[in-house]
Amino acid sequence: MPAVRVRLPGELAPLLAALRTELEVPTAFPDAAEAEARAAATAPVAADGYADETGRLLVTLDPPGSTDLDQALGLRRRAAGGFELDYAIADVGSFVRPGGALDAETHVRGETLYLPDGRAPLHPDVIGTGAGSLLPGQVRRAVLWTIAIDADGNPSGDPVVRRALVRSRAQLDYVSTQAALDAGTAAEPITLLPEVGGLLARAGTARGAVDLPDVDQEVVRDGDGYRLDLRTPLPCEGHNAQLSLLTGRAAAAVMLRAGLGLLRTVPPLQPEQVDTVRRAARALGVRWGDGKSYADVIRDLDPAIPHQAALLFAAGRLLRGSGYLAFGPGIADVPSGPKAEHAAVAAPYAHATAPLRRLADRYVSEICLNATAGRPIPDWVRAALPHLPHEMAAADQRGHNVERAVLDLAEALLMSTRIGSTVDGVVLSTSTHADRPTAMVQVNDPPVRCTVEADGLTPGSTVALRVAAADPATRRVRLEPQVGG
């Protein structure tokens, strides 16, 4: 599902601190883990086992202010047609000793958590934003992928994967990069980004992929109340995401051929789930034209328009059943068909490109490095593989809980100055909770989803609701059907 980045007014700092405590957001690292990280980060960079690729033209491209830089990229045109992508991924495995204190702590955390008041990182910053980050002008250890792309936007041949020393030429951000691309002054490694990103996106559309862009929103003061400001993702953000998706697909293909690995899977949407999205679209005033597929409608949404951003989030929540699938000798049979696929990618896919921020990616890198070289997969990787789906599921759940709590806080804040007023919504679904009939209702303005206790509501119906309560401290909004509404 799309990531939802929320910024909130500074006066909410105490509520965010309470949220961190309530949801047990990790804080400081254990002393032993921190000591291991410092020792690994300050050790000399050994060249043994690393190809010297510091001459490759690579740059990083991330949101402004990012410091945990997992990937650096470079694109070039092939003389035989198509393109070639160099994609350097931080070699986090070179900093983490298998079985050590830091390794154990990363298995507990699973992923970096992002909150409006800061991050709870997967690795200590001495690695995550320091020695392991692909900062510009620094020689860094990386897992370097080279992937050929044909004229139709499909991978051509097998990727080349090796450990390498790389040096990023520049740390680029989306805003300045888009301006440079528009002006024709972009850095050489990314001048082809719009062409290649567009080609990959069209190939994804042909496969049936669903594009779910991230939602970037900010709740700001507006007179006596609050308003929601949203940002439209820049084209270069989508193009950059396509390169990460391509690498994740390549990693999945390598592991499936090797007969051992870890996939990120999402089952296909069921008709009743698509019907729920249709009802949400109706509630939010999004037109669903005749003959338009789910993917077509989602592709046309603009996250900078509040009700369309709400539909994007609702659609992402319906990608239920997402998880990690480990396979190999003694674990599970090699999957095939829909069981091996990620429904939004419309292909087998693996999380591979963000090892500074996600535990699974470190293991995927190790499997792909050894599989492509014809070497045995290390025992420590094989031993961890059966447990990773459960560990990553726990990390995903923690991340979803944090994201949902932050969204609940934002929604309660938006509604807190509307108590007593009436809002219109559409019933998305009905159920019974603790012997009481409830309905999930999508409100258009502001774009809020709430559970309403009421009998006699039917999916798809329109209902007028009174804002009975909205408390940012408890992150709760209570709506009541208007009598006769």
Side-chain angles (χ1 to χ4, degrees), residues 205 209-210 288 291-301:
T205 298
V210 179
W288 195 307
K292 285 268 190 177
S293 70
Y294 169 86
D296 292 335
V297 173
I298 299 304
R299 191 178 303 114
D300 292 339
L301 296 177

Side-chain angles (χ1 to χ4, degrees), residues 139-164:
V139 175
R140 290 292 191 252
R141 289 166 281 190
V143 177
L144 181 60
W145 290 72
T146 299
I147 304 172
I149 306 164
D150 68 20
D152 295 321
N154 298 309
S156 176
D158 294 334
V160 177
V161 191
R162 66 278 194 201
R163 279 195 157 93

Side-chain angles (χ1 to χ4, degrees), residues 316-412:
R317 290 182 67 185
L318 290 176
L319 292 173
R320 296 176 184 147
S322 61
Y324 290 84
L325 176 62
F327 61 93
I331 303 172
D333 292 340
V334 178
S336 61
K339 289 184 178 180
E341 292 193 352
H342 188 297
V345 181
Y349 173 70
H351 275 161
T353 63
L356 290 171
R357 294 169 283 161
R358 201 166 44 216
L359 173 66
D361 302 45
R362 168 158 57 99
Y363 287 87
V364 169
S365 282
E366 294 294 339
I367 295 169
C368 292
L369 280 164
N370 288 282
T372 55
R375 296 188 299 262
I377 307 301
D379 289 342
W380 62 270
V381 174
R382 289 180 176 273
L385 203 54
H387 308 288
L388 283 171
H390 173 74
E391 292 170 336
M392 292 308 301
D396 279 352
Q397 187 60 56
R398 186 185 303 115
H400 292 160
N401 290 344
V402 168
E403 184 177 272
R404 183 65 258 177
V406 171
L407 284 170
D408 287 345
L409 173 55
E411 291 176 350

Side-chain angles (χ1 to χ4, degrees), residues 14-401:
L15 297 185
L16 289 170
L19 184 155
R20 283 173 172 266
T21 300
E22 175 189 336
L23 297 182
E24 299 180 346
V25 174
T27 53
F29 284 81
D31 290 345
E34 190 76 51
E36 281 189 15
R38 284 197 301 271
T42 56
V45 177
D48 294 347
Y50 287 82
D52 184 355
E53 299 287 359
T54 52
R56 298 247 175 189
L57 294 179
L58 299 168
V59 296
T60 59
L61 179 57
D62 296 275
S66 297
T67 52
D68 46 355
L69 309 181
D70 288 286
Q71 320 101 14
L73 65 101
L75 288 164
R76 56 187 171 273
R77 201 179 299 275
R78 299 173 68 205
F83 305 90
E84 200 160 67
L85 166 67
D86 284 330
Y87 207 74
I89 301 171
D91 185 13
V92 178
S94 66
F95 294 95
V96 181
R97 177 172 59 84
L102 178 56
D103 185 30
E105 181 65 14
T106 60
H107 278 262
V108 171
R109 295 186 177 222
E111 64 183 36
T112 295
L113 299 176
Y114 293 91
L115 293 92
D117 60 345
R119 11 190 298 291
L122 175 61
H123 299 93
D125 282 345
V126 69
I127 291 174
T129 63
S133 181
L134 303 184
L135 298 168
Q138 304 296 313
V139 175
R140 290 292 191 252
R141 289 166 281 190
V143 177
L144 181 60
W145 290 72
T146 299
I147 304 172
I149 306 164
D150 68 20
D152 295 321
N154 298 309
S156 176
D158 294 334
V160 177
V161 191
R162 66 278 194 201
R163 279 195 157 93
L165 299 179
V166 301
R167 182 190 289 113
S168 170
R169 295 301 199 268
Q171 180 178 350
L172 306 181
D173 65 75
Y174 292 130
V175 176
S176 60
T177 294
Q178 190 61 53
L181 287 167
D182 292 342
T185 59
E188 182 179 347
I190 61 164
T191 54
L192 294 172
L193 182 62
E195 188 175 353
V196 176
L199 181 66
L200 293 172
R202 291 190 295 275
T205 298
R207 290 195 312 272
V210 179
D211 184 16
L212 289 167
D214 291 345
V215 177
D216 193 349
Q217 59 187 40
E218 182 174 11
V219 179
V220 297
R221 276 279 185 186
D222 187 11
D224 294 332
Y226 297 90
R227 73 172 190 273
L228 187 65
D229 288 348
L230 295 106
R231 185 182 67 87
T232 300
L234 295 167
C236 66
E237 296 178 58
H239 300 325
N240 192 36
Q242 289 295 331
L243 302 183
S244 179
L245 289 172
L246 174 68
T247 307
R249 288 169 53 212
V254 167
M255 293 187 292
L256 286 168
R257 285 195 297 270
L260 183 140
L262 181 70
L263 301 179
R264 178 65 163 169
T265 59
V266 175
L269 281 175
Q270 299 303 306
E272 60 270 20
Q273 293 174 294
V274 177
D275 288 342
T276 299
V277 179
R278 283 181 179 273
R279 288 193 287 270
R282 176 187 167 193
L284 295 164
V286 176
R287 185 173 180 276
W288 195 307
D290 293 341
K292 285 268 190 177
S293 70
Y294 169 86
D296 292 335
V297 173
I298 299 304
R299 191 178 303 114
D300 292 339
L301 296 177
D302 184 349
I305 301 174
H307 62 282
Q308 295 191 24
L311 184 58
L312 268 174
F313 185 64
R317 290 182 67 185
L318 290 176
L319 292 173
R320 296 176 184 147
S322 61
Y324 290 84
L325 176 62
F327 61 93
I331 303 172
D333 292 340
V334 178
S336 61
K339 289 184 178 180
E341 292 193 352
H342 188 297
V345 181
Y349 173 70
H351 275 161
T353 63
L356 290 171
R357 294 169 283 161
R358 201 166 44 216
L359 173 66
D361 302 45
R362 168 158 57 99
Y363 287 87
V364 169
S365 282
E366 294 294 339
I367 295 169
C368 292
L369 280 164
N370 288 282
T372 55
R375 296 188 299 262
I377 307 301
D379 289 342
W380 62 270
V381 174
R382 289 180 176 273
L385 203 54
H387 308 288
L388 283 171
H390 173 74
E391 292 170 336
M392 292 308 301
D396 279 352
Q397 187 60 56
R398 186 185 303 115
H400 292 160
N401 290 344

